[in-house]
Amino acid sequence: LAGEATVLGVNIMQEIGFIGAGNIAEAIIYGLRQAGGKYNLRVVNRSNGARLADLADRYQIIPASLAELVQSSEVILIAVKPKDVPGVLETLAGPELSSGLNDQLIISVAAGIQIATLEKSLPGMAVVRAMPNTSSAVLHSVTGLVRGHEADEDHVRMAEKIFSSVGQILWLPESRMNALMALSGSGPAYFYLFTECLVQAGVELGLREEDAEMLSRETLIGVGKMMAESGKSPGRLRQEVTSPNGTTIEALQVFWAANLKGIVREAAEACARKGQEME
Ligand code: NAD
C-alpha cells in the first residue's frame, strides 16, 4: 500500500519531518494524507504559529521544534526557499543538532540547491534532491529525484514512497534537473497562463466569464485525461481533432504563424537558465 511501512505484516508509523510549512510542504502533506499511509508528520516553521495550528487542524501534523524533529524523523524534508537553505543546513550541522543526525534521509525540494551543497554541509548523510510541483495537492505531481552518494536502497525506497503518493516520479542525473524544472516544475504555470488567455478570448467572443472559465478548465482536464489514458501521443490526438478544412485548423495556423514552438522553447530555456544561475 502506498505510504505504509510493513514489518512482518504489521503496519508501522513512518516519521517524516518538514522544515518549512509553505505551499509545497502543504501540497505534499495533503497528498500524503490523501494517500492514506500511516505517517507522523512533524513540522517546523519560521513564521507565526497560526500556520502550524492551521495545518495541525486540517492534516493532523505535529508542530515541533527542530530538535524534536531531528530526534524523531526517519526522513527530514527541507521545504524552505532556496535563500533560506544555507541557514537550515548550518543549524542542522551545528553543535546542538548534528549529534542527532545519523541514518536519516535528508530530502531537499529547494530549487537550485545541488546534491554537492547538501552533502558538503551534512557529511556522511544520505541526501536526495527532489523537484515536485504543486499538483502534489491533487496527487498529480511529477517529481524529479536525484540520488545522493550516501543514499542506499532503503533511502531510495523511502523517497519513492513519499513522492509516489503524490504522483509520478522520475529519477534522473542532476545535470537534467533544470530541464525537468522547465517542464514539470514550472510547467503548471504555463498551462494556467494558457487557460487564462483562453478564458479572456472567450469573454471577448461574448461568453460570460464563469462559463468561459468552466469551458477552458474542463477542456484542459479532458485533454489531460485523453493524453494519460488513450495511449496516443499528443501529436496524434491533435491530428485526430483537426480536419483539413475545419475550424480547428484555422486556430492552429494562427499559433504556427506566431511561432508558438519557438516561444515555448524560449520560455523553457529561460526557466532552465534561471535554475542554472541559482546553482
Ligand atoms: P513558501 O515561501 O511558501 O514556504 C517556505 C516556508 O519556509 C515559509 O513558511 C517560511 O516561514 C519557512 N521557513 C523559512 N526559513 C525557515 C527556517 N529556517 N526554518 C523553518 N521554516 C522556515 O515557499 P514554497 O513555495 O513552499 O517553496 C519552498 C521550496 O520548495 C522552495 O525552495 C522551492 O524552490 C521549492 N519548490 C516549490 C515548488 C512550488 O511549486 N511552490 C515546486 C518545487 C519546488
Side-chain angles (χ1 to χ4, degrees):
L1 279 182
E4 294 196 2
T6 306
V7 175
L8 298 175
V10 180
N11 290 328
I12 56 162
M13 280 287 176
Q14 181 138 38
E15 310 287 337
I16 304 179
F18 289 79
I19 303 178
N23 297 315
I24 200 73
E26 179 170 354
I28 296 169
I29 289 167
Y30 173 80
L32 288 170
R33 286 301 184 219
Q34 290 286 105
K38 292 191 175 181
Y39 297 106
N40 278 327
L41 305 176
R42 288 181 183 75
V43 186
V44 178
N45 198 42
R46 189 170 57 183
S47 49
N48 64 41
R51 171 74 178 153
L52 289 186
D54 178 47
L55 292 178
D57 207 33
R58 288 190 288 144
Y59 310 112
Q60 292 75 53
I61 63 102
I62 306 165
S65 69
L66 206 46
E68 287 162 358
L69 186 144
V70 166
Q71 200 61 43
S72 322
S73 304
E74 300 161 81
V75 179
I76 299 174
L77 203 148
I78 302 174
V80 301
K81 290 284 186 207
K83 69 173 174 51
D84 294 319
V85 172
V88 168
L89 294 175
E90 213 172 293
T91 312
L92 287 175
E96 282 172 32
L97 298 179
S98 59
S99 60
L101 288 176
N102 38 67
D103 60 354
Q104 295 98 327
L105 167 64
I106 309 283
I107 299 179
S108 163
V109 296
I113 304 290
Q114 290 180 298
I115 290 281
T117 306
L118 301 166
E119 289 182 340
K120 192 166 167 227
S121 306
L122 303 169
M125 292 298 294
V127 304
V128 163
R129 181 178 168 193
M131 174 58 60
N133 70 24
T134 44
S135 302
S136 311
V138 289
L139 314 187
H140 278 281
S141 178
V142 199
T143 305
L145 295 169
V146 181
R147 181 177 178 169
H149 298 92
E150 305 292 338
D152 63 21
E153 290 304 318
D154 284 342
H155 296 124
V156 163
R157 270 195 297 277
M158 271 194 257
E160 289 185 346
K161 202 160 72 169
I162 292 172
F163 292 103
S164 300
S165 72
V166 294
Q168 309 271 339
I169 56 167
L170 181 70
W171 288 96
L172 71 178
E174 193 161 35
S175 57
R176 296 281 173 270
M177 205 57 162
N178 288 322
L180 175 131
M181 182 152 65
L183 269 70
S184 58
S186 301
Y190 314 161
F191 291 101
Y192 292 134
L193 175 65
F194 189 87
T195 308
E196 284 178 83
C197 294
L198 196 56
V199 170
Q200 187 60 44
V203 169
E204 279 159 27
L205 285 168
L207 292 168
R208 293 191 312 166
E209 187 169 355
E210 60 267 39
D211 293 344
E213 197 171 310
M214 185 277 282
L215 294 170
S216 305
R217 182 188 65 232
E218 294 302 315
T219 301
L220 183 62
I221 293 169
V223 159
K225 280 189 180 283
M226 284 296 286
M227 287 193 284
E229 294 170 15
S230 68
K232 298 175 186 172
S233 69
R236 166 105 185 268
L237 287 165
R238 172 177 53 76
Q239 280 162 8
E240 285 179 2
V241 297
T242 314
S243 36
N245 294 311
T247 52
T248 308
I249 189 98
E250 292 294 318
L252 297 189
Q253 271 164 359
V254 175
F255 289 134
W256 298 141
N259 191 19
L260 180 66
K261 207 172 181 177
I263 293 169
V264 171
R265 190 182 50 233
E266 240 180 84
E269 279 171 3
C271 181
R273 199 165 44 243
K274 180 70 179 180
Q276 213 164 8
E277 282 166 19
M278 287 165 71
E279 285 178 354

